[in-house]
């Protein structure tokens, strides 16, 4: 049905659905966030900051959002389960004064507090109001090529008392962590045929003697 309406025959052109799925997959870094350790400072409702990191296809879900509490500032501490090369960010809010007006990105400073935001950011963006989640802010990839912890600071909005964010998209590549503990676990989990041969042969040898 849909393919006919577009007027291209089978095989000649990709379906729009596939393109959307591919675009969605590009924004899959939310899957690589260590949710247990994700923090949002100055969130009005505890745990609401985590809800803005979700599938690209679900960015329009207006029931999930974070709102700031005491003032308009929000600060996210986002640990990843490996190393990330961050390529782009989407920030989606309301079409009003609650939309964040600036975004500052910091890399590899775990547990940042608002005091720490006095540091110079790796990159700062002036944001436009983006109620549909369509604007992509490209990062300086060289600065964000080995990120295991990303902090996002939203210092101000377009004039409201509080800031609201509905969706944050993170685009990039993920590689597994090369920390020692992780390597050992992977080694044991993956069946190494050579090891197993030894284990099987050894008991039999003892048996014979």
């Amino acid at each position: 049905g849909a393919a006919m309406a577009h007027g291209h025959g089978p095989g000649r052109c990709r379906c729009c659905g596939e393109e959307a799925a591919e675009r969605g997959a590009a924004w899959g870094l939310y899957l690589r966030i260590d949710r247990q350790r994700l923090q949002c400072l100055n969130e009005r409702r505890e745990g609401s900051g985590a809800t803005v990191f979700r599938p690209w296809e679900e960015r329009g879900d207006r029931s999930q959002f974070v709102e700031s509490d005491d003032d308009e500032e929000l600060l996210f501490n986002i640990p990843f389960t490996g190393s990330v090369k961050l390529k782009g960010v989407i920030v989606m809010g309301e079409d009003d004064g609650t939309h964040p007006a600036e975004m500052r990105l910091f890399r590899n400073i775990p547990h940042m507090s608002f005091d720490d935001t006095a540091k110079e950011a790796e990159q700062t963006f002036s944001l436009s109001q983006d109620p549909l989640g369509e604007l992509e802010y490209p990062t300086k990839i060289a600065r964000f090529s080995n990120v295991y912890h990303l902090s996002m600071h939203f210092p101000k909005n377009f004039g409201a008392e509080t800031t609201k964010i509905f969706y944050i998209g993170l685009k990039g590549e993920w590689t597994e962590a090369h920390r020692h503990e992780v390597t050992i676990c992977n080694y044991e989990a993956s069946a190494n045929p050579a090891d197993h041969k030894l284990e099987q042969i050894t008991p039999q040898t003892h048996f014979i003697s």
Side-chain angles (χ1 to χ4, degrees):
M4 297 293 287
H6 282 303
H8 42 244
R12 278 216 309 277
C13 182
R14 278 214 241 116
C15 290
C16 300
E18 266 177 50
E19 269 170 38
E22 250 177 52
R23 185 162 180 208
W27 295 93
L29 279 187
Y30 73 94
L31 293 166
R32 307 304 186 180
I33 294 173
D34 182 346
R35 298 251 167 197
Q36 296 342 103
R37 290 164 45 229
L38 174 70
Q39 284 180 319
C40 179
L41 279 60
N42 198 34
E43 58 184 10
R44 178 168 291 186
R45 202 176 76 243
E46 196 180 334
S48 55
T51 67
V52 304
F53 300 98
R54 57 180 186 268
W56 183 81
E57 298 78 26
E58 292 172 26
R59 66 195 182 288
D61 177 359
R62 296 252 155 209
S63 66
Q64 302 195 66
F65 63 88
V66 62
E67 185 172 5
S68 62
D69 192 13
D70 294 334
D71 54 27
E72 72 276 28
E73 281 190 274
L74 281 169
L75 175 62
F76 292 89
N77 280 315
I78 307 159
F80 294 106
T81 56
S83 171
V84 163
K85 181 187 284 186
L86 183 67
K87 296 180 173 179
V89 181
I90 289 176
V91 180
M92 179 178 147
E94 292 274 30
D95 207 355
D96 63 16
T98 63
H99 195 295
E102 190 180 293
M103 170 174 67
R104 303 170 70 230
L105 300 183
F106 299 84
R107 65 178 271 266
N108 300 344
I109 311 175
H111 310 297
M112 273 189 80
S113 67
F114 282 109
D115 292 341
D116 298 326
T117 60
K119 297 178 185 173
E120 193 181 341
E122 295 284 344
Q123 196 170 355
T124 301
F125 300 84
S126 290
L127 302 181
S128 303
Q129 287 172 332
D130 185 15
L132 298 175
E134 293 173 327
L135 302 175
E136 180 182 334
Y137 298 94
T139 58
K140 297 172 181 163
I141 295 176
R143 291 193 183 181
F144 294 98
S145 60
N146 182 18
V147 181
Y148 56 86
H149 185 283
L150 176 70
S151 298
M152 310 180 84
H153 179 218
F154 297 94
K156 55 181 192 241
N157 60 22
F158 285 94
E161 285 189 11
T162 58
T163 297
K164 265 174 137 172
I165 298 175
F166 285 87
Y167 168 80
I168 294 177
L170 301 173
K171 182 166 102 173
E173 296 166 16
W174 175 83
T175 44
E176 225 165 313
H178 291 302
R179 285 199 305 275
H180 194 58
E181 319 89 59
V182 178
T183 325
I184 293 168
C185 303
N186 287 355
Y187 179 69
E188 288 172 357
S190 64
N192 183 337
D195 287 359
H196 285 280
K197 277 202 199 96
L198 287 174
E199 282 166 27
Q200 285 157 8
I201 291 165
T202 317
Q204 289 167 352
T205 323
H206 286 296
F207 231 32
I208 293 164
S209 60

